[in-house]
Amino acid sequence: MSKKLTITFVFLFSFLIGIGKNLPFPIFFPFGVAPIEWMIVCYAIYQLSIIKSGRVYFYWNIHLQNLLILISIFASFVFISYIVNIFYYDGKIVDIFEIVRYLLSGYLILILLYMNKYYEILLKGFVTGVIVSILFGFLEPNNLSVDIASFSIPQIFNPNVLGVVAGFSVFFMVMLEIYKHSIKNLFIILILIALSVFTFSKAAWLIVFC
């Protein structure tokens, strides 16, 4: 994989993490599955094709196998527990997909560990996804009009989740700014702070301003 293609993939990957399931339109989440989860599955299939062909050159294939094994064991115990208790707690077959999410989350950890040398691209892609999610949140606001003094402003979709994610994004960008000074970083921080105001989330404000 060329360097430019790798950088594009890393940015897209982290961008979709920033998006998560925070868009107000169900059409983007068929079967309740987020785009990043589809991407992880596709990437896992790609990795398996590399292993089958003998071209194993990704870092995690050699050094992070034990972590993947532990995650798989944990997911297996969850699955067994679910099968045993499904008759007692009115479970549904569709709930099994939630177990798959454990595996996807574990695999996501492995991918991020592999991509750690692209930390700045990962961070900027994530923050871009968060900003896009918040902007889309204005299209389906949680509250059309919140009165503040003599004027009103909207409260965005899913305000608590987006607010907390925005707050952590500010924290991450501040850390990046401390490590690597840039006017662009400061500009992004100001944008995130401004957007967090529209969440009306006390948790978000606490993270952003403290």
Side-chain angles (χ1 to χ4, degrees):
M1 187 181 292
S2 67
K3 185 175 181 180
K4 287 185 178 180
L5 186 58
T6 299
I7 290 174
T8 301
F9 172 78
V10 171
F11 182 87
L12 177 61
F13 187 86
S14 55
F15 173 80
L16 291 178
I17 294 175
I19 292 289
K21 296 180 70 174
N22 295 318
L23 297 180
F25 307 111
I27 192 173
F28 291 111
F29 311 108
F31 309 107
V33 180
I36 183 59
E37 293 172 328
W38 290 114
M39 190 171 183
I40 293 172
V41 171
C42 292
Y43 188 70
I45 293 172
Y46 168 67
Q47 287 280 288
L48 289 173
S49 69
I50 291 175
I51 294 173
K52 187 176 181 180
S53 64
R55 296 185 293 111
V56 181
Y57 54 83
F58 282 99
Y59 181 87
W60 71 264
N61 286 5
I62 301 171
H63 299 279
L64 300 176
Q65 291 178 357
N66 290 337
L67 180 57
L68 180 60
I69 291 172
L70 287 174
I71 293 168
S72 300
I73 291 174
F74 175 71
S76 298
F77 275 118
V78 172
F79 178 77
I80 293 171
S81 175
Y82 177 79
I83 295 299
V84 170
N85 292 285
I86 189 172
F87 302 104
Y88 298 98
Y89 297 103
D90 192 28
K92 300 178 181 178
I93 297 299
V94 71
D95 294 334
I96 294 176
F97 290 104
E98 294 301 321
I99 300 173
V100 175
R101 279 197 166 95
Y102 283 108
L103 283 174
L104 291 178
S105 299
Y107 191 71
L108 175 60
I109 293 172
L110 294 179
I111 295 174
L112 292 176
L113 286 172
Y114 166 70
M115 293 178 177
N116 62 0
K117 63 180 178 180
Y118 299 107
Y119 69 93
E120 188 172 350
I121 299 170
L122 275 170
L123 180 55
K124 290 184 176 179
F126 174 78
V127 170
T128 302
V130 172
I131 291 174
V132 169
S133 294
I134 295 175
L135 292 177
F136 269 90
F138 284 101
L139 300 178
E140 291 286 339
N142 187 61
N143 193 331
L144 280 172
S145 179
V146 178
D147 295 328
I148 299 179
S150 59
F151 59 94
S152 300
I153 61 175
Q155 181 186 38
I156 62 171
F157 170 81
N158 202 8
N160 290 321
V161 173
L162 284 174
V164 171
V165 174
F168 279 111
S169 297
V170 170
F171 173 77
F172 293 146
M173 290 305 299
V174 169
M175 293 297 101
L176 180 61
E177 171 61 21
I178 293 173
Y179 177 74
K180 187 175 182 180
H181 297 293
S182 170
I183 296 297
K184 291 181 179 179
N185 293 340
L186 291 174
F187 182 67
I188 293 172
I189 291 171
L190 291 175
I191 291 176
L192 286 166
I193 291 175
L195 291 174
S196 69
V197 172
F198 295 92
T199 65
F200 290 92
S201 168
K202 295 180 180 66
W205 292 349
L206 185 64
I207 297 172
V208 170
F209 297 106
C210 296

